[in-house]
Amino acid sequence: MADKAELREQMIDAFEGADYPISSPMDLVPALPNGPGTKFESGDFSMTAMELNTKLSGGDFPYDSADGFVDDVLEELEENGHI
């Protein structure tokens, strides 16, 4: 089972370097340590940033901070049974 706090920390670390506000997922790519291949893992959960983008509805852009973006990502992953 995935630890949401652990995933949140990994995602904040990966996304906080983006130039906020962001208006699309593409605005996050330059901040990712391994680009779209950046992997988020906890327990039995493992997805790259690219895979996350295909699993999410698109978000509520624009986002003013990594915190708001990551909170929405985790909420949607949970709602869709991914974590």
Side-chain angles (χ1 to χ4, degrees):
M1 181 167 186
D3 179 337
K4 279 181 60 176
E6 182 180 9
L7 285 174
R8 187 175 197 289
E9 184 178 330
Q10 290 176 32
M11 290 179 183
I12 292 291
D13 287 347
F15 297 132
E16 70 185 350
D19 188 18
Y20 288 89
I22 57 169
S23 57
S24 80
M26 293 308 294
D27 292 342
L28 296 165
V29 174
L32 295 172
N34 295 317
T38 299
K39 192 170 279 193
F40 305 102
E41 298 178 295
S42 176
D44 59 355
F45 177 87
S46 178
M47 272 191 200
T48 64
M50 180 70 81
E51 289 170 318
L52 279 178
N53 191 44
T54 66
K55 301 288 184 199
L56 302 174
S57 65
D60 189 20
F61 289 92
Y63 287 96
D64 294 324
S65 70
D67 288 314
F69 176 72
V70 170
D71 288 345
D72 281 0
V73 167
L74 290 172
E75 182 179 319
E76 190 167 342
L77 286 172
E78 190 168 34
E79 286 174 359
N80 292 325
H82 297 292
I83 55 173

